[in-house]
DNA sequence: CCGGTGATCGAAAACGTTTACGGCACTCTA
DNA sequence: TAGAGTGCCGTAAACGTTTTCGATCACCGG
């Protein structure tokens, strides 16, 4: 690998000048800059990340804290992969890289998140899919290290949270059902300790209230985001006497929605004829099943972009005007209409 | 952050000794080592990755080359996420980290893959989900940088490929169908320029041959791994006169399998009564649909582990005994029996 | 002609490690 | 007891950059 010295020799200047030329410092003549750039191109020069990070104290990389144990334990994030794509894209646009920080808090102790981040001199970290209640997370968020969490409701001096506008998404979904003529609308919720789940429930309640609909207790069934719970909840709804049975149900997660649809089928109910179903997340399977699931999609790319841009705001201390970013930062959702409510294609 | 000097001062030894103590060099007394380790613990010392990488010329990190543009373009890898989990886990076990290398070959030129890897001083790279025919890839594989590709059939002096045993998986699948009494077995293939697709076809042909089954031309339908193509192929199979219509079909990808199932349903055929379907990959949706899809699952964790271990073999030059690793390295698949062939639960 | 000013650049210190080399105090052997 | 060997450790160089502090030079106004 050609180093900066080779470049210097090649151009007959000092290493300092080379560095300045390549980093866009103004105190170098256009002629020299041109020469240096050409030589760099010619020799295929790439500055050593390590050396650069060492002396500058920052690495132009952001860390990703993502507890994959969480993933293998079956609690899979509905669209973590698309989120990764979004993050990667957004980072690519600003010329930064992403380091998957492999940290096992249980083994490495409560400071592990923070320590590992510092060890790599990442400019900041993005946190997702981890257990909310770890002390290590508090430690991280209360530190001065810039970080943004996705779908976790935590904040700190240089930390905020970005998430989809779950509430608005829910509202749009039940409005859609209302528009289609439904008046008896039930819901199946996610686990109450997950922020997206509670926001979706809030949105549901808000919309039902605004539309002046009845909401008997048995119209909100508690699930856990997995299919079996969706089935069980669907079973209960289907079992209601016909006069009290909902004609539509807003399900807080696609996987549960599919479970509910199976339950309805087993109960002899036709979707969407007898009962309409709208889900949340737009997982891959949503478009693969029959009837295809109408659902509110999260914009994972926007989410990634928002996360990255918020993070960089912290990193570059861009808070002259506004005092601090509102948290959580919300990203719009989009209702994608398919077949499970009728009216789709 | 406490540095190595602080540790040295704290323990009254030189930095060299601290380094040696922490890195397990033998030439340090047990007593000193204990002291240093305790002090390190106490002060929460973490060595700077940059400094370490700079002087050692390696970073203890491996790069991941994964073209996310490929992903957003819809050509999604069926189980890239689980693969990531597998990689992460395997790397975690050997104390290494994963850097998502953000490289845009189109913008940065044909040496970009290699250069970026070198720039980060990664010990090696893992390649997946990229366009096979890029010259940049050749460049990479023909270099001396250790790399392993997942599902790409390329090799080089210090490069190999790991993939699932697609062929054996296919064989097992059609054997299963045969065991269930099926004799007229068709297949829907993936695109012929993708290694897994051709291996699955080979396996299918092999099994059909071994079992002495008839294989009329119209029994192999060419798809592209996406649902629509599966539907189209299914349509064609369903349209055959009943006496020549297959009673089972081996589909080279789950998404296409779902498409085929829809086609069969539209043609009034019952799955699995009239026609059995077995897929490949075990994507999430496979267990979410009704009837749930019998499919051959790839072991993404094993795949990740195999990739990492092969990579490290190159990195550490563990080829005293064997001349070079056979390529591709194969990872076993597993037939998961659900409902789409009958006989499942 | 002189001091000041800007533009351009070089020398060298720093960043936090690892490691080659050498040194010292022992112990062992002859 | 000299010499060799061994166990332990310190000094300092090296890794490849960035950045501070001056240095040089040309030019300009007085």
């Amino acid at each position: 690998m050609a180093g900066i010295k080779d470049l210097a020799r090649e151009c007959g200047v000092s290493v300092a000048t080379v560095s300045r030329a390549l980093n866009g410092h103004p105190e170098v003549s256009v002629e020299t800059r041109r020469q240096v750039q050409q030589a760099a191109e010619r020799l295929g020069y790439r500055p050593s990340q390590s050396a650069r990070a060492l002396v500058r104290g920052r690495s132009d990389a952001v860390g990703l804290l993502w507890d994959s144990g969480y993933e293998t334990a079956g609690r899979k994030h509905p669209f973590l992969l698309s989120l990764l794509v979004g993050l990667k894209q957004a980072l690519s646009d600003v010329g930064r890289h992403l380091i998957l920080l492999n940290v096992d808090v249980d083994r490495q102790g409560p400071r592990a998140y923070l320590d590992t981040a510092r060890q790599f001199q990442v400019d900041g970290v993005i946190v997702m899919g981890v257990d909310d209640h770890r002390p290590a997370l508090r430690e991280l968020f209360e530190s001065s290290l810039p970080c943004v969490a996705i779908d976790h409701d935590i904040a700190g001096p240089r930390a905020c949270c970005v998430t989809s506008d779950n509430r608005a998404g829910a509202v749009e979904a039940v409005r859609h059902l209302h528009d289609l003529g439904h008046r008896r609308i039930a819901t199946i919720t996610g686990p109450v300790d997950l922020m997206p789940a509670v926001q979706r429930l809030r949105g549901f309640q808000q919309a039902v209230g605004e539309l002046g609909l009845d909401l008997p207790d048995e119209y909100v069934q508690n699930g856990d985001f997995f299919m079996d719970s969706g089935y069980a909840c669907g079973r209960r709804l289907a079992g209601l006497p016909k006069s009290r049975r909902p004609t539509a149900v807003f399900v807080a997660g696609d996987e549960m929605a599919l479970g509910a649809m199976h339950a309805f089928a087993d109960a002899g109910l036709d979707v969407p004829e007898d009962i309409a179903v709208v889900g949340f997340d737009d997982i891959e399977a949503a478009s693969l099943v029959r009837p295809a699931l109408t659902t509110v999609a999260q914009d994972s790319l926007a989410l990634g972009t928002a996360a990255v841009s918020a993070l960089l705001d912290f990193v570059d201390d861009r808070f002259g005007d506004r005092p601090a970013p509102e948290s959580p930062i919300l990203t719009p959702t989009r209702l994608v209409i398919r077949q499970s409510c009728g009216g789709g294609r």
Side-chain angles (χ1 to χ4, degrees), chain A:
Chain A
M1 278 294 269
I4 202 176
K5 287 185 201 153
D6 305 303
L7 271 194
R9 200 174 330 110
E10 180 87 1
C11 301
V13 298
S14 74
V15 292
T17 302
V18 174
S19 172
R20 282 189 280 246
L22 261 22
N23 290 315
H25 291 225
E27 61 245 307
V28 45
S29 76
V30 295
E31 171 59 16
T32 325
R33 189 187 305 275
R34 202 183 45 77
Q35 277 194 20
V36 171
Q37 282 169 338
Q38 285 186 356
E41 186 74 27
R42 186 152 25 91
L43 302 191
Y45 168 75
R46 293 289 197 105
S48 149
Q49 277 296 322
S50 324
R52 210 152 191 275
L54 180 59
V55 61
R56 301 200 324 156
R58 43 168 15 212
S59 66
D60 278 347
V62 339
L64 180 65
L65 247 30
W66 150 48
D67 189 351
S68 58
Y70 214 65
E71 207 71 15
T72 44
R75 330 196 45 168
K76 53 171 74 95
H77 196 288
F79 63 118
L80 187 141
L81 179 55
S82 358
L83 207 45
L84 266 182
V85 174
L87 284 176
K88 191 152 175 290
Q89 185 57 50
L91 284 170
S92 174
D93 291 344
V94 296
R96 282 179 146 87
H97 296 258
L98 189 61
I99 303 186
L100 265 57
L101 263 16
N102 239 336
V103 14
D104 184 340
V105 175
D106 297 327
R107 226 168 37 194
Q108 303 180 31
R111 291 183 42 99
Y113 284 146
L114 189 51
D115 284 345
T116 313
R118 287 215 209 281
Q119 181 176 14
F120 278 83
Q121 302 185 72
V122 293
D123 299 343
V125 302
I126 289 177
V127 180
M128 60 198 254
V130 297
D131 187 347
D132 264 355
H133 316 92
R134 310 204 103 121
L137 265 193
R138 291 247 153 271
E139 191 96 29
L140 182 65
F141 275 76
E142 282 162 5
S143 80
S144 63
L145 187 81
C147 44
V148 357
I150 296 181
D151 278 355
H152 290 283
D153 187 17
I154 22 191
R158 303 187 73 188
C160 72
C161 151
V162 340
T163 182
S164 281
D165 196 344
N166 291 289
R167 185 185 193 125
V171 169
E172 185 178 7
V174 348
R175 284 244 175 80
H176 176 65
L177 292 174
H178 186 265
D179 287 348
L180 291 175
H182 295 282
R183 293 301 176 265
R184 296 203 303 268
I185 306 180
T187 188
I188 300 179
T189 73
V192 289
D193 58 336
L194 260 36
M195 177 171 68
V198 338
Q199 292 303 323
R200 290 169 197 182
L201 177 55
R202 294 258 168 77
F204 172 80
Q205 290 166 330
Q206 170 187 338
V208 160
E210 288 171 359
L211 296 171
L213 303 181
D214 256 6
L215 188 57
D217 280 351
E218 65 262 31
Y219 272 23
V220 4
Q221 299 280 342
N222 297 309
D224 64 5
F225 273 152
F226 292 103
M227 185 165 81
D228 287 349
S229 76
Y231 185 88
C233 294
R235 216 60 230 228
R236 285 195 286 274
L237 291 176
L240 293 177
K242 178 138 193 271
S243 58
R244 298 206 332 261
R245 195 204 300 143
T247 64
V249 39
F250 164 70
V251 190
D254 281 351
E255 203 166 310
M256 292 193 301
L258 298 184
M261 284 168 65
H262 294 154
F264 298 149
D266 286 352
L269 264 34
D270 183 82
V271 174
E273 269 320 305
D274 300 321
I275 188 162
V277 175
V278 44
F280 212 113
D281 284 340
D282 196 23
I283 64 175
E284 196 196 6
S287 62
L288 260 27
V289 298
R290 284 271 189 103
L293 188 61
T294 290
T295 186
V296 4
Q298 306 197 47
D299 186 342
S300 57
L301 213 129
L303 217 43
T305 309
V308 167
S309 113
L311 190 66
L312 295 186
D313 282 350
F314 282 124
V315 173
D316 301 338
D317 255 329
R318 278 194 284 257
F319 293 116
D321 37 0
R322 41 200 162 143
E326 71 289 10
S327 183
I329 295 172
L330 296 181
T331 270
T333 59
R334 186 173 47 91
L335 182 66
V336 1
I337 296 176
R338 290 199 263 256
Q339 305 158 345
S340 63
C341 302
R345 4 156 269 107

